[in-house]
Amino acid sequence: MVVVPLLGACGIAALGRHLPRKLTDAVSIGVAVAVTAMALVLFYEAQRHPVVRWMGDWRPVHGFALGICLAVDPFGAGACALAGFLVTAALVFSTWHFDSAGRLFHVLMLLFLCGAAGFCLTGDLFNLFVFFELLSVSAYGLTGYKISERGPIQGALTFAVVNTVGSYFVLLGIALLYGQVGALNLAQLGSALAGKPPDALIRSALLFFVAGFGVKGALVPFHFWLADAYAVAPVPVLVPFSGIMVELGLFGIARVYWTVFSGVSGLGSGLSGLLLGIGVATALWGAVMTLLQPNLKRLLAFATVADSGLTLIGISLFTREGLAGSGLYVIGHGLVNGALFMGTGVLLDGMGTVNVDALHGKGKRLPWLGAVMTLAALALADLPPFGPFTGQALIDGSAHHLGLGFTRWIAIATAGLTGGAVLNAVARIFLAWGPSSPEPEEDREDLGKEEPERSEQPVHPGMIVTSAVLLGAGMLVGLVPFASDAAERAASIFESRLGYEGWVMRGIFRLPAPPHPPHISGTELLIGFGSVALALAIGIIALVRTRLPKRLRGIFHQLGIGPIRLLRRLQSGHLGDDVAWLVVGIALYSVLLAVVLG
Amino acid sequence: MSFIPYAASAWLLLVGLWGLVTSRHLVHQILCLNVVQSSTYVLLISIGWRANGAAPIFLKLPKGQVPVDPVVQALVLTDIVVGVAVTALLLALALQAYKRFGTFDPERLRQLRG
């Protein structure tokens, strides 16, 4: 699964000049489909017995791992399958959308897939880092693909520099752990650290991992690069970016915590609190920023940040249901976001801009697309009983059992705000509701003008169909009856450090206790409908904003303009600012970690 | 155990980050990133050091000599390769910026904000 996309990428790079474009498209799509299929097969196999492969047959000796292994558990295989599916969808979409997708686009996408696959499946810490870098560097290349414009250069540079600094913090963490333990195998590290108190070195290593992976995972305050990168990357690329790349950052945190750090005594509850706080801050910041964006791609970028925050909340609960919920949430939201990005791509194609103000009313000739995007916005707002809702319900149930009921309000607010922002945009574009020109007191720069990725042609229906397929998949994930069961079983295998060590080092695997059937109570349904209602309310308020009585508008303006200006100014697009926030974030989290660990 | 290599690593990290934060030139930013990367190399190699250690060439090792840890050296080599890939990509972007827009100043390229 790692070798196949690598071979595909190299093949295309070598021969692509001589092959017609249709053939390179077919080869890359074929490779991506093959990876997805293999990952699904592995998922089913891994549920019965996780798969371990030692490279070069260097098996562990006396509990000491001499070689590098691939340790496939169902969670990793599932993440790999999602990556494959999203890359396939992006490649299919790009056959219609992208005029000039030369062979380098396919090469980079396949390398991205290779990196994602390796990242999900490896059992060695340094191997994890290397695949993380492969994934990242391909992403930098893909972001800066439209090199002829000013924006992509800025966006790709910021993305690359900030994320590389983050990755090298991960490497610092690896160095610290290696210095302490002398091993790089995840299972072995876990058993070496088990039972130890969290001393300064362990804390620093953990902090570096959280920060480094958190940069990729767009956690506050490491998230400033995301909006700039998303605004300039070509649309097909954004589908896997938003669906799997950001989530792999969180996956990295979860994987490293559960396999390496979960045995350290006294670490869990403190870290849980810290991650919960970071998740809440990220979710709310992202949600609020979605309302301030006139550019559709940036809007969806901040929606991704908000989703990332909610996913981290689920992970931070450190329970089986929480992790299972996060997994389902990631799948649901990844697919729905992908569908929305594809819709944006269609609009860019047809009208040459993604600025909501400029697109006002122009969507009327694409009613099907309007329907898809409206449904997607509602799914984003956690409409029951579809995909994102199922994940959120599991997370909420678990949080409630832990007495952390306040997270449901965060979830309602976030889902409502992001769903509302998208509904507002959709209504203005497709139904011509709402103000047709930007208001004079808001300085909304025209950030939406970008060159369409193909010459003016009528919109190919295939693009809308692909978008609808993604949306359907995202929504149906919640309806598939055994999805919650499978997710819970996968989560229980993921979370058991002793179990992991058992099946990686010694090949012993005991099936975990079967999960109790998921029980989605009436409260969770209410929450789901609540966030949809909030989304509709926000959408309507945003639309009729200009018709409100002047005094009311004046009050809102006075209350809101200060924080809004502050948030806008923080998102400066300056590389120096983003790096400064990274450093501040690490310092802040080290202080907070010291506080919660006592 | 001398702390100087670790202090050097920390210094490189801080200096590199400071350079990134205050930089006004794309190529300078890329080189500051390289300095940050170098801090991790120094840290890794220092971790592998053994007092009176010999080079880890196992065919010719004198009896009783302890070799320094070769694993970290392999890690550093891998990281250097990763660093090279990133630097090459970034320099290509910087070069394109200069060719198309005539500037290496990130301020003049800044189009995205808010």
Side-chain angles (χ1 to χ4, degrees), chain A residues 117-287:
Chain A
F119 187 81
C120 297
L121 305 178
T122 184
D124 180 280
L125 187 56
F126 189 70
N127 207 222
L128 195 73
F129 169 75
V130 170
F131 278 117
F132 190 61
E133 281 302 284
L134 178 60
L135 170 73
S136 304
V137 175
S138 316
Y140 310 152
L142 286 168
T143 307
Y145 199 76
K146 294 199 285 186
I147 202 75
S148 54
E149 296 168 39
R150 205 174 278 248
I153 296 180
Q154 176 200 353
L157 268 166
T158 315
F159 179 21
V161 173
V162 174
N163 273 265
T164 305
V165 174
S167 304
Y168 274 76
F169 272 104
V170 170
L171 191 58
L172 283 177
I174 296 177
L176 290 178
L177 281 183
Y178 182 79
Q180 173 94 322
V181 176
L184 290 170
N185 182 286
L186 288 172
Q188 193 181 336
L189 278 167
S191 65
L193 290 180
K196 288 202 174 155
D199 61 0
L201 194 135
I202 293 181
R203 290 188 205 194
S204 307
L206 178 67
L207 185 70
F208 287 154
F209 283 121
V210 168
F213 285 127
V215 171
K216 179 63 99 232
L219 303 178
V220 162
F222 311 123
H223 70 289
F224 291 102
W225 59 269
L226 198 144
D228 295 340
Y230 276 39
V232 301
V235 169
V237 155
L238 290 173
V239 173
F241 271 24
S242 153
I244 191 70
M245 184 183 74
V246 166
E247 285 74 5
L248 282 181
L250 302 178
F251 180 91
I253 295 178
R255 170 74 86 197
V256 167
Y257 173 74
W258 281 110
T259 53
V260 175
F261 289 101
S262 57
V264 176
S265 55
L267 194 61
S269 52
L271 184 64
S272 170
L274 178 65
L275 289 180
L276 184 66
I278 299 177
V280 167
T282 308
L284 290 177
W285 188 311

Side-chain angles (χ1 to χ4, degrees), chain A residues 328-329 332-333 379 383 385-392 473-479:
Chain A
L328 282 177
Y329 189 78
H333 264 261
L383 181 70
F386 301 112
F389 164 74
T390 322
Q392 183 55 46
M475 293 171 90
L476 289 178
V477 148
L479 297 176

